[in-house]
Amino acid sequence: MNSRMIRFILFQVMRIEGVLMLLPCLVSVIYGDGEGVFYAAVAAFLIIVGFIGCRFRPKNHSVSVRDGYVATGLSWIVMSLFGCLPFFLSGEISNFTDALFETVSGFTTTGASIMPAVEQMSHAALFWRSFTHWIGGMGVLVFLLALIPMSGGSNINLMKAESPGPSVGKLVPKMRYSALILYIIYIFLTLLETILLLFGGLDLFESFCLSFGTAGTGGFAVRNDSFMSYSLYIRWVAGIFMVLFGVNFNVYYFMLMRQFKKAFCFEEVRVFFTIVAISTLVVFAKILPLYESGAAALTDAFFQVTSIVSTTGFGSADFDMWPSTAKFVLCFLMFMGACAGSTGGGVKVSRFMILWRSVVKEVQSYIHPKIVKKVTLDKKPVDPDVVKSTHVFLATYVGIFLISMFIVSFDNHDMTTTFTAVLATFNNIGPGLSLVGPTCNYGFLSVFSKWTLIFDMLAGRLELFPILVLFAPSLYKK
């Protein structure tokens, strides 16, 4: 294991986080809330330590697959530990576990909050909460890839460890340029949404915070009622962008390069849009009797479907009060999640497609034993290793899910609360049902349950294995 390179990456991450933490300092100065000093102190420490640590550059810049997983898992833990310090030191979140829960929820783009009244927080804190979504959405290591030269397949090993989905490919021959292109698209879409929200009457601060949450498919809002008090225009803008950020970013690259045939050949994206459309119609039909106008019902149906399927977690209505069919649809979307290669969480549409086609293939093999049929995606055979890794992922996913439910059940809350608390955090969504519904928060859970859900949020965002590998005893044997 290249431990020196891993340390170098961690120091780089600390330095980047320190620089990014200067933005809430600026927000604090603009609004005069006085909380910026805590962000400045932590930022200064991170920049200084990171700068000193980066001076000792390793001679060997290679990163193996194992190194990539270790570096990724440790980077997100380090980011979260230092990212929560301003909340804790300022006293805005006086309990360290709660501060860490809120920060991990931010970086992992979960949006599950322990705060009962976010409007009482300072502008600096509100900005940092939303900005952590934006940082975690694309991934800080993806940003790092555009800055650090690495040898061999090091870039792809880091990107595979951090990027969501069953596979990661290069947009251009050099992975550094691929990372840069992804961030350019990410920034452009974020700014475009910000401008459209400004046209809806929101101020610059609120527009940026909501755009950060939408871009990272996070869910932290700046109002206690999330999106419930916003106009239909604002909800439609956010809803449309939640869909856009739930799409594989390779689509936007091919559109940018005017390679429209490649852009529209992604079968996963077509299935994703189909599921969004059907789910919206089903939810709309079930909730229409609860609304005075069809426009409002359609808006909330579309908004909540896109919010859940993209794993953003904003709320325009208390969907815990909706009919059972509508809630079932939303729970299914929580499991499924967005597309691979997007900023969304969940199992991913492509994995469900591979699993379904594997089942169909297996059934057909019993009926026709001599048939030779392969699992396909985008009209191409899926590599057997990808099929195998998908099955391993889903088996591991179910195991962690059940263990987490067992642990949280010791809090003695109702089954709906326990089930959806794990479901919403493990899939990086945020709100669940019952006591963790869209109008509630996670502050009432025990410390042990919060630490369990912290693990779930990190494991869910990093596709399980970059976190699990840190618990493997063989990793620490020479």
Side-chain angles (χ1 to χ4, degrees):
M1 186 166 64
N2 192 350
S3 56
R4 291 186 178 181
M5 187 59 192
I6 292 173
R7 285 197 297 269
F8 179 70
I9 291 173
L10 293 178
F11 282 126
Q12 286 281 14
V13 168
M14 290 174 66
R15 187 164 64 170
I16 291 173
E17 184 177 18
V19 172
L20 294 175
M21 201 176 283
L22 294 176
L23 285 176
C25 299
L26 177 61
V27 171
S28 179
V29 171
I30 293 173
Y31 289 94
D33 56 29
E35 301 295 336
V37 62
F38 301 102
Y39 294 88
V42 178
F45 173 81
L46 289 171
I47 293 172
I48 293 171
V49 173
F51 178 78
I52 294 173
C54 289
R55 289 179 64 86
F56 302 96
R57 300 177 67 89
K59 294 181 180 180
N60 180 9
H61 278 213
S62 65
V63 178
S64 65
V65 174
R66 180 180 66 172
D67 296 340
Y69 275 62
V70 173
T72 299
L74 291 178
S75 293
W76 281 72
I77 292 172
V78 167
M79 273 199 313
S80 301
L81 289 172
F82 285 107
C84 78
L85 289 181
F87 291 143
F88 180 64
L89 296 175
S90 66
E92 292 200 70
I93 303 179
S94 57
N95 181 282
F96 180 79
T97 296
D98 286 350
L100 183 62
F101 185 97
E102 195 82 3
T103 306
V104 170
S105 181
F107 279 125
T108 59
T109 72
T110 303
S113 180
I114 50 84
M115 296 299 297
V118 298
E119 292 179 21
Q120 296 178 5
M121 301 184 77
S122 65
H123 282 83
L126 289 174
F127 183 89
W128 181 239
R129 285 170 85 244
S130 297
F131 195 46
T132 55
H133 282 333
W134 194 85
I135 296 169
M138 187 60 70
V140 70
L141 293 185
V142 175
F143 177 70
L144 200 60
L145 292 181
L147 303 179
I148 303 177
M150 297 185 190
S151 59
S154 301
N155 288 325
I156 191 69
N157 287 334
L158 273 180
M159 200 164 188
K160 280 182 177 179
E162 188 178 47
S163 299
S167 63
V168 173
K170 297 181 181 179
L171 300 178
V172 291
K174 291 188 176 181
M175 184 56 72
R176 289 183 65 191
Y177 295 142
S178 293
L180 184 60
I181 289 169
L182 288 173
Y183 254 100
I184 290 173
I185 296 171
Y186 191 49
I187 292 170
F188 171 77
L189 290 175
T190 304
L191 292 177
L192 179 60
E193 183 186 1
T194 302
I195 293 170
L196 292 176
L197 291 177
L198 288 171
F199 282 125
L202 300 185
D203 60 32
L204 188 60
F205 174 81
E206 202 162 3
S207 297
F208 265 124
C209 287
L210 295 183
S211 295
F212 290 152
T214 306
T217 60
F220 280 150
V222 295
R223 298 187 184 184
N224 292 331
D225 62 1
S226 192
F227 266 73
M228 297 181 192
S229 58
Y230 290 121
S231 66
L232 297 186
Y233 169 82
I234 297 296
R235 297 184 195 185
W236 275 101
V237 169
I240 291 170
F241 274 89
M242 283 188 285
V243 173
L244 294 178
F245 282 108
V247 169
N248 191 320
F249 271 51
N250 288 6
V251 172
Y252 303 131
Y253 168 75
F254 289 127
M255 292 177 68
L256 189 64
M257 295 294 104
R258 298 184 180 181
Q259 299 179 28
F260 298 107
K261 187 176 181 180
K262 288 185 177 181
F264 296 111
C265 76
F266 285 86
E267 194 176 359
E268 180 191 26
V269 175
R270 295 198 298 271
V271 171
F272 175 71
F273 280 121
T274 301
I275 291 173
V276 169
I278 294 174
S279 299
T280 299
L281 291 176
V282 172
V283 172
F284 170 69
K286 297 302 295 184
I287 68 172
L288 183 58
L290 304 177
Y291 285 77
E292 295 181 357
S293 70
L298 181 61
T299 300
D300 279 352
F302 174 73
F303 185 93
Q304 286 306 156
V305 165
T306 57
S307 178
I308 297 300
V309 76
S310 66
T311 70
T312 306
F314 285 134
S316 65
D318 185 3
F319 53 80
D320 191 33
M321 304 302 294
W322 285 359
S324 297
T325 303
K327 289 192 286 187
F328 173 81
V329 170
L330 295 182
C331 284
F332 167 73
L333 297 178
M334 288 182 186
F335 275 113
M336 188 186 74
C339 297
S342 70
T343 61
V347 174
K348 303 295 180 301
V349 176
S350 57
R351 285 200 178 97
F352 271 99
M353 293 173 68
I354 291 172
L355 179 64
W356 170 253
R357 290 175 184 181
S358 297
V359 172
V360 172
K361 173 180 173 291
E362 193 68 18
V363 171
Q364 289 181 341
S365 69
Y366 285 115
I367 300 173
H368 307 286
K370 295 183 179 181
I371 193 173
V372 178
K373 186 176 179 62
K374 294 184 177 181
V375 177
T376 60
L377 197 63
D378 297 329
K379 298 181 180 179
K380 299 177 183 178
V382 179
D383 191 302
D385 287 338
V386 174
V387 176
K388 177 184 175 182
S389 67
T390 299
H391 295 165
V392 171
F393 175 90
L394 291 169
T396 309
Y397 175 96
V398 171
I400 295 175
F401 191 95
L402 293 176
I403 293 171
S404 299
M405 272 195 66
F406 176 72
I407 294 172
V408 177
S409 70
F410 280 94
D411 281 6
N412 291 320
H413 299 298
D414 62 272
M415 182 56 70
T416 301
T417 296
T418 301
F419 177 78
T420 58
V422 175
L423 177 63
T425 51
F426 198 21
N427 291 291
N428 306 132
I429 292 156
L433 298 173
S434 191
L435 298 180
V436 292
T439 60
C440 307
N441 62 77
Y442 288 73
F444 66 92
L445 294 174
S446 67
V447 172
F448 195 40
S449 291
K450 288 175 183 175
W451 278 97
T452 301
L453 298 182
I454 286 172
F455 171 85
D456 287 345
M457 288 188 282
L458 286 169
R461 171 59 182 83
L462 297 179
E463 307 275 275
L464 309 184
F465 298 105
I467 291 296
L468 291 180
V469 75
L470 299 178
F471 293 90
S474 59
L475 178 69
Y476 306 97
K477 294 180 180 179
K478 294 184 180 180

